[in-house]
Amino acid sequence: PAISLMLGLREAIRLYMEEGAEAVLARHEMLSRATKEGVRALGLDLFGEHPERAWAITAVTVPEGVDGKELVAKVRRDHGIILAGGQGPLTGKVFRIGHLGYYDRFDIVRALAALELTLGDVGYPVKRGAAVGAAEEVFGSPGSA
């Protein structure tokens, strides 16, 4: 058996039980909302039907004139943040930001800051701090976990 996987699963379950089911769901909903607000603050469009229901990942339409594959590669190369590119017919047209699992507020802030910087580097007009500020508004709102 894959002992390392079993040990990892045991630790993940321990952390889940320690945090509590309701708190875990609230955290994931908040991280999802903050990510989506940050993306919108950059003037980017969310991809998919009912994006507010997607608490695991935020899919984003690559803006016109930007190479989506290069954007994902540059964010990783320059900032160490891993975004997922689109697959199949969506390759180069969308990218995805994951926020389900062992993530917290600063993981989202860091990812959004890297996205802002990289979009600016590739010529997309970005107001510095817009995405980070929008996410922080979500994190600072009443009822945020």
Side-chain angles (χ1 to χ4, degrees):
I3 300 300
S4 61
L5 293 178
M6 299 307 286
L7 292 173
L9 176 61
R10 181 176 71 182
E11 181 63 10
I13 292 170
R14 186 192 67 75
L15 290 170
Y16 176 84
M17 298 303 285
E18 184 178 283
E19 187 175 354
E22 287 185 25
V24 168
L25 287 174
R27 176 171 51 84
H28 286 103
E29 187 276 334
M30 177 190 60
L31 295 176
S32 173
R33 198 165 20 100
T35 303
K36 288 167 178 55
E37 290 303 318
V39 165
R40 286 183 181 117
L42 292 173
L44 301 177
D45 294 323
L46 299 178
F47 181 82
E49 294 181 23
H50 309 292
E52 68 283 353
R53 295 181 189 170
W55 289 4
I57 200 160
T58 295
V60 183
T61 303
V62 175
E64 192 74 33
V66 174
D67 180 337
K69 290 169 91 174
E70 177 56 26
L71 177 68
V72 168
K74 187 169 177 52
V75 168
R76 183 177 191 163
R77 184 175 57 246
D78 294 355
H79 304 288
I81 302 291
I82 299 173
L83 303 176
Q87 298 176 330
L90 296 176
T91 300
K93 297 177 182 175
V94 301
F95 63 90
R96 297 165 291 151
I97 304 170
H99 35 72
L100 179 70
Y102 193 62
Y103 292 102
D104 69 15
R105 298 168 187 216
F106 291 108
D107 294 311
I108 300 306
V109 167
R110 186 169 175 246
L112 290 171
L115 180 59
E116 284 181 357
L117 291 169
T118 305
L119 283 169
D121 289 347
V122 299
Y124 180 79
V126 173
K127 180 181 177 197
R128 300 270 190 219
V132 170
E136 288 178 346
E137 286 297 318
V138 171
F139 295 143
S141 66
S144 64

